Amino acid sequence: AQEEEAEEAEGPISISGGIAAVSDYRFRGVSLSDKDFAIQPTITISHESGFYVGAWASNIADNAGDDIELDIYAVFSGGDTVTYDIGATYYVYPGVSAFNYVEFIGKTGTTVGPVTLGGILAYAPSQDGTGNQDNLYVGGTASLGIPNTPLTLNSSLGLEDGAFGNNKLDWSLGVSASVAGFTLGASYVDTNRFVGGLGKAGAVFSVSYTF
C-alpha cells in the first residue's frame, strides 16, 4: 500500500538531469572543443508512457558566434530484455543558425551475462546545416562491470558516411567508476580521419553527477 501511494505521489511525469566536466568534447571521435575543457549540463522530462524530451548543452570551439552547442531531443523508449529509443535530435548553434540540423536516431540495448551491449543508427537528411548532403552513422557499444569493484570497462565503434565524413571510423576504450555519487571516467578516443588534427587519438577524462 505504501509503495502504491509513493507511485501515485510521483505522478506520470519525472524530471532528471546532470552535469559533466570533460577534458575534451569528442563527438563521434572528433574534438568539437579544439581539445579543450568543456562543461555539459543536461535535463530530461519523462512520461511514464516512455516518451521523453530534453536538452543537452556544451561549450565548443570558436564557431563564429556564440560558442555553444544545444541539443534538443524528443524520444520514445520501451522494451524489456531488449530496449529501444527512437526519436530525433535538433542540433542548435546559437548565433550561427546556418549550422543547425536535425538527425533521426534509433538506439537499442540488451544485457548478455555481465556485458551490456548497445547499438545506434543515426540519419541526418540533406539540409542547410549539413551542407545539403545526407549523413549516416552506425555504431555499437559494449560495457563490462568488474565484479566487486565500482569499475566498468567501456568500448565503442562507429562508422560514418556522408556530410560529416566518408568511410570515417571512430573508436574508444575506457573505464568509469562510481565514487561518492559521482561518475569518473577516462578513455582513449581515435578516428581514421584527422579532420584538421581534431580527430587524432587522445585521452579524455570526465567527471559527472546526475540526479
Side-chain angles (χ1 to χ4, degrees):
Q2 290 180 348
E3 291 181 357
E4 291 179 357
E5 290 177 0
E7 290 179 358
E8 291 177 359
E10 289 177 0
I13 295 176
S14 60
I15 299 176
S16 60
I19 188 167
V22 297
S23 62
D24 183 4
Y25 168 26
R26 293 273 183 144
F27 181 66
R28 297 173 185 169
V30 178
S31 175
L32 299 188
S33 60
D34 198 13
K35 299 185 178 180
D36 285 336
F37 180 83
I39 296 292
Q40 301 172 335
T42 185
I43 188 166
T44 300
I45 302 173
S46 305
H47 187 267
E48 62 183 6
S49 65
F51 179 73
Y52 63 92
V53 296
W56 176 95
S58 178
N59 58 287
I60 58 177
D62 184 12
N63 198 34
D66 296 329
D67 299 334
I68 296 172
E69 176 185 326
L70 175 64
D71 300 351
I72 303 170
Y73 50 87
V75 184
F76 185 79
S77 64
D80 186 11
T81 303
V82 177
T83 62
Y84 63 85
D85 293 76
I86 301 173
T89 297
Y90 184 39
Y91 300 87
V92 180
Y93 301 92
V96 196
S97 60
F99 291 170
N100 298 352
Y101 68 97
V102 174
E103 185 175 57
F104 301 98
I105 303 173
K107 295 181 180 180
T108 187
T110 191
T111 299
V112 180
V115 180
T116 299
L117 301 173
I120 178 173
L121 174 64
Y123 176 70
S126 176
Q127 55 200 287
D128 290 345
T130 63
N132 296 309
Q133 300 181 65
D134 60 359
N135 193 77
L136 180 66
Y137 183 84
V138 180
T141 61
S143 62
L144 170 66
I146 300 177
N148 303 316
T149 76
L151 301 176
T152 299
L153 300 178
N154 307 293
S155 63
S156 71
L157 175 65
L159 172 64
E160 189 165 35
D161 194 71
F164 304 129
N166 292 313
N167 295 316
K168 171 183 158 290
L169 285 170
D170 69 82
W171 57 91
S172 69
L173 182 63
V175 61
S176 60
S178 297
V179 180
F182 290 84
T183 299
L184 308 179
S187 60
Y188 171 88
V189 184
D190 198 5
T191 73
N192 65 341
R193 294 288 187 274
F194 285 168
V195 194
L198 300 179
K200 289 184 178 180
V204 177
F205 302 96
S206 65
V207 56
S208 62
Y209 176 79
T210 58
F211 61 84

